[in-house]
Amino acid sequence: MSAPSPALPSPALPFPRVAPNQWHAFGGVWRLTYRRWLPWRSWLVCAGLLGVLAGIAATTNPKGDASAYFDWFGSFFLGVLVPILAFLSGAGALRDDLKPGAVDYLFTRPVRRPVYLVSRYVCHLACAQLTYLSAFGVMVAVGIYREIPGLAAGLPLLLLAQVLTVAAFVALGVLCAVVVSRYLIVGLCYAGLVEAGAGLIPTQLNRLSMTRQIRELLEPLAGAASVPAGASVPAVTALPPGAGPWGTALHLGVFAVVFVALAALVFSRKEFSGAPGRE
């Protein structure tokens, strides 16, 4: 028998191994995200929706009635319309990434799943915030057209409320899209149990309702507008001790962080099926 030939030494790699750069991954996610907002058809749809919003806001808000305007801003615009659209936007964006063809490409990239999901949320949120600024401009234009007193002084609080609403409900949409494919059903259950259920309970349990916190954030504007000129402004009793603009911002920021963290945890452990192989 012939002696076995000695094992040949493995050739050295021509290049040193390079660790994945997460910042480069974030840049790639950003380029993929903002390009989805560039097609002119999406802007035409956005312009049409803004026209509908302007018509509804102009016809439902009486001229010079600041109390009704601020109450409508918090109860309908930021209490119903923006949360629904932000939720659908965040959930739909992530479900597009979880399609079989996209999954095959996504999971071959040198980026960790939690890093990708957080990057996706941040990039999508940035684009969404810029888009919702146009809706905010429409609401301000309607307020100017209706000669709403105190509008200029209330703009910072109104803008803060909108930014917080979009951030929280985009995060909720991302979480629901990661957990189940039928995220709309989960969103309806959440709206019924938490926003419409717990939000109406006159205890500290209503702090679980994000839309209620937004309405309470804007109550000082509506309350001050309902006070006759020269009268003293009554104290706002709807807000619990320690609440206010920054307290509400902290609460909703915690909600958004928790939603994204849970989504990243589920996303990192969940198995996805790619596209079927071609014969």
Side-chain angles (χ1 to χ4, degrees):
M1 294 179 63
S2 59
S5 59
L8 297 177
S10 59
L13 294 176
F15 302 102
R17 180 175 295 179
V18 179
N21 190 315
Q22 303 303 330
W23 284 111
H24 292 172
F26 177 82
V29 174
W30 167 250
R31 286 188 292 271
L32 292 174
T33 301
Y34 83 83
R35 289 174 182 174
R36 298 184 180 183
W37 299 76
L38 295 180
W40 60 271
R41 293 181 180 178
S42 61
W43 287 102
L44 286 179
V45 174
C46 181
L49 294 176
L50 292 177
V52 174
L53 173 64
I56 296 176
T59 54
T60 55
N61 287 282
K63 182 177 180 180
D65 192 343
S67 179
Y69 174 83
F70 291 128
D71 183 70
W72 190 88
F73 199 107
S75 60
F76 177 75
F77 180 65
L78 295 183
V80 177
L81 187 60
V82 172
I84 292 176
L85 295 179
F87 173 85
L88 295 177
S89 174
L94 195 66
R95 290 311 303 182
D96 289 341
D97 295 343
L98 300 183
K99 292 180 179 178
V103 166
D104 289 339
Y105 172 81
L106 175 62
F107 292 155
T108 59
R109 303 299 95 189
V111 55
R112 298 176 60 187
R113 289 190 184 186
V115 174
Y116 172 81
L117 187 135
V118 174
S119 300
R120 190 73 170 93
Y121 168 73
V122 172
C123 295
H124 183 82
L125 178 62
C127 295
Q129 294 286 11
L130 292 176
T131 303
Y132 280 97
L133 281 179
S134 58
F136 184 80
V138 168
M139 293 299 300
V140 173
V142 170
I144 296 174
Y145 171 72
R146 285 302 186 183
E147 300 179 1
I148 302 300
L151 178 62
L155 286 181
L157 195 60
L158 295 175
L159 181 59
L160 174 64
Q162 175 173 299
V163 169
L164 294 174
T165 302
V166 174
F169 279 94
V170 167
L172 178 62
V174 168
L175 174 60
C176 293
V178 171
V179 174
V180 294
S181 59
R182 299 179 181 273
Y183 56 84
L184 187 57
I185 298 177
V186 179
L188 291 175
C189 293
Y190 170 84
L193 295 176
V194 179
E195 298 297 335
L200 299 178
I201 299 176
T203 62
Q204 288 295 325
L205 190 62
N206 61 30
R207 308 307 298 173
L208 296 175
S209 171
M210 296 185 291
T211 56
R212 179 178 178 84
Q213 294 195 48
I214 292 297
R215 291 195 301 269
E216 290 179 349
L217 179 64
L218 300 181
E219 276 189 0
L221 296 177
S226 62
V227 177
S232 59
V233 180
V236 179
T237 58
L239 292 169
W246 301 118
T248 302
L250 178 61
H251 292 161
L252 295 181
V254 169
F255 279 136
V257 170
V258 171
F259 291 154
V260 174
L262 291 176
L265 179 62
V266 176
F267 189 71
S268 64
R269 299 179 179 273
K270 194 171 184 178
E271 294 295 332
F272 300 97
S273 59
R278 297 181 180 180
E279 297 182 354

